[in-house]
Amino acid sequence: MKQEKENKAAEYARMVGKTVSSVAGKTKSTIEKAGQAAVTALDATGDGTVGIDDLIILGMNTPGVKIDREKFLRSELQKSYPKSIIDDAVQRTPALAGIPREMTDRIADDVIQNERIKVSGISAVLGAPGGAAMAATIPADIIQYYGYTLRAAQKLLYLYGFPQIDTSENELALDTGTMNTLILCLGVMYGVGGANKALLAMTQALGRGVERKLMNTAVTKGAIYPIVKKTAQWFGVRMTKDVFAGFFKKAIPVVGGLVGGGLTYAAFKPCCEKLKNTLKDTILSNPDAHKNDEAIIIEAEEVKNAEEI
């Protein structure tokens, strides 16, 4: 009797093992298919991979992501300042118009919090379906996340003195200078080495009156461009991980959405704070700011290269 029970237990264990193995095989196949579908959906440039340029293109072409500098500044400043000061802030920069740094920082904090709440809500909603619906929600979630990140980045650039970046191109194209500027902004937000100094170099060049045409050349060639390439490569590795990690988050119905929204809420603010902290004490946002020596060297090399072209 005892032996019979042991034989039945062993047989049952073998059956369970086969079932688990079968489910695992099907799950792996589903993961691979969902991941490949996500890559295809996110590959805006059609090169078979997902890079930061793909997400910037898709993000910037999401309705509501492109920010008009003048409209944004007027909307934020009209609550506290007369038209003459607002006109000056639009024509030059908020700092040169006499807007105190404390006010600019306060507006920046509000921007970060508002975008954070919006993107977290969308992430939670998109994360909810789970199961077979997840392949469609992974690309949407990632695009929405980077779209709101780009919204916040543009607003922070304008608050702290950057001119309007060229986002006028349609569909699957962006001006190269704009693309590289946004890559650097995202690099700063995610702590990619060198991106911070490159962006500081841009602020110092713009602060001393370098023309936009020369700055566009500066971020596409010379000393800054290798930093742009390094940043893009870093994101290329990260993108593949994000796509497949996204599958596992979506695989759990409802809970996946709650976890996804919570993680997005927690991660979004620190990224934006890094960009804010880089921008808030430059000669664009504070004419008396101390210049970063390494950034000055990059800036000098960049401007020289740009003027020789």
Side-chain angles (χ1 to χ4, degrees), residues 43-72:
D43 181 17
T45 57
D47 63 359
T49 62
V50 178
I52 194 60
D53 52 341
D54 295 303
L55 297 186
I56 289 175
I57 289 170
L58 294 170
M60 292 298 286
N61 280 285
T62 300
V65 170
K66 293 179 181 178
I67 303 298
D68 182 280
R69 176 181 179 273
E70 180 174 350
K71 288 181 180 178
F72 166 67

Side-chain angles (χ1 to χ4, degrees), residues 31-306:
I31 290 172
E32 291 173 350
K33 289 178 181 178
Q36 189 54 54
V39 168
T40 301
L42 293 169
D43 181 17
T45 57
D47 63 359
T49 62
V50 178
I52 194 60
D53 52 341
D54 295 303
L55 297 186
I56 289 175
I57 289 170
L58 294 170
M60 292 298 286
N61 280 285
T62 300
V65 170
K66 293 179 181 178
I67 303 298
D68 182 280
R69 176 181 179 273
E70 180 174 350
K71 288 181 180 178
F72 166 67
L73 290 178
R74 289 191 183 281
S75 174
E76 293 297 330
L77 298 176
Q78 68 180 359
K79 308 165 189 174
S80 306
Y81 296 96
K83 184 176 182 298
S84 58
I85 292 180
I86 297 173
D87 288 343
D88 193 17
V90 171
Q91 185 66 31
R92 299 193 293 168
T93 70
L96 292 176
I99 308 296
R101 238 278 301 280
E102 294 76 13
M103 174 60 75
T104 307
D105 289 348
R106 192 178 310 143
I107 296 172
D109 289 339
D110 289 343
V111 163
I112 292 170
Q113 182 62 11
N114 289 337
E115 301 299 336
R116 184 189 192 193
I117 291 171
K118 291 174 184 175
V119 72
S120 301
I122 289 174
S123 181
V125 170
L126 290 175
M134 68 189 115
T137 65
I138 296 168
D141 197 2
I142 293 175
I143 292 168
Q144 289 288 351
Y145 182 84
Y146 279 95
Y148 276 96
T149 302
L150 290 166
R151 270 175 58 91
Q154 291 170 84
K155 291 180 178 181
L156 293 174
L157 287 175
Y158 301 150
L159 279 172
Y160 292 111
F162 265 70
Q164 174 74 47
I165 59 175
D166 185 4
T167 58
S168 59
E169 296 285 350
N170 296 319
E171 297 178 358
L172 301 183
L174 272 180
D175 172 80
T176 304
T178 297
M179 173 67 77
N180 289 354
T181 298
L182 292 173
I183 288 174
L184 287 178
C185 285
L186 292 174
V188 171
M189 297 171 98
Y190 284 87
V192 181
N196 182 286
K197 292 184 178 66
L199 195 61
L200 284 174
M202 290 183 65
T203 66
Q204 289 174 182
L206 288 168
R208 72 180 189 82
V210 172
E211 294 180 7
R212 186 183 303 177
K213 181 179 179 181
L214 291 179
M215 279 309 303
N216 278 348
T217 304
V219 296
T220 57
K221 300 176 183 179
I224 288 181
Y225 183 58
I227 300 175
V228 174
K229 287 182 65 178
K230 175 185 174 183
T231 303
Q233 288 168 355
W234 183 91
F235 274 106
V237 174
R238 179 187 174 91
M239 291 303 98
T240 301
K241 293 180 179 178
D242 277 358
V243 169
F244 284 93
F247 178 90
F248 292 103
K249 183 181 74 176
K250 308 295 181 190
I252 308 173
V254 182
V255 174
L258 297 175
V259 172
L263 291 176
T264 299
Y265 187 82
F268 190 81
K269 183 177 180 180
C271 289
C272 293
E273 288 285 355
K274 287 178 185 175
L275 181 59
K276 173 193 167 186
N277 290 335
T278 294
L279 295 172
K280 73 178 186 179
D281 197 26
T282 73
I283 58 174
L284 281 179
S285 56
N286 175 13
D288 298 321
H290 174 69
K291 291 188 175 182
N292 180 287
D293 292 338
E294 292 181 68
I296 291 173
I297 294 172
I298 295 175
E299 174 210 347
E301 292 178 3
E302 271 308 314
V303 173
K304 179 182 177 183
N305 290 335

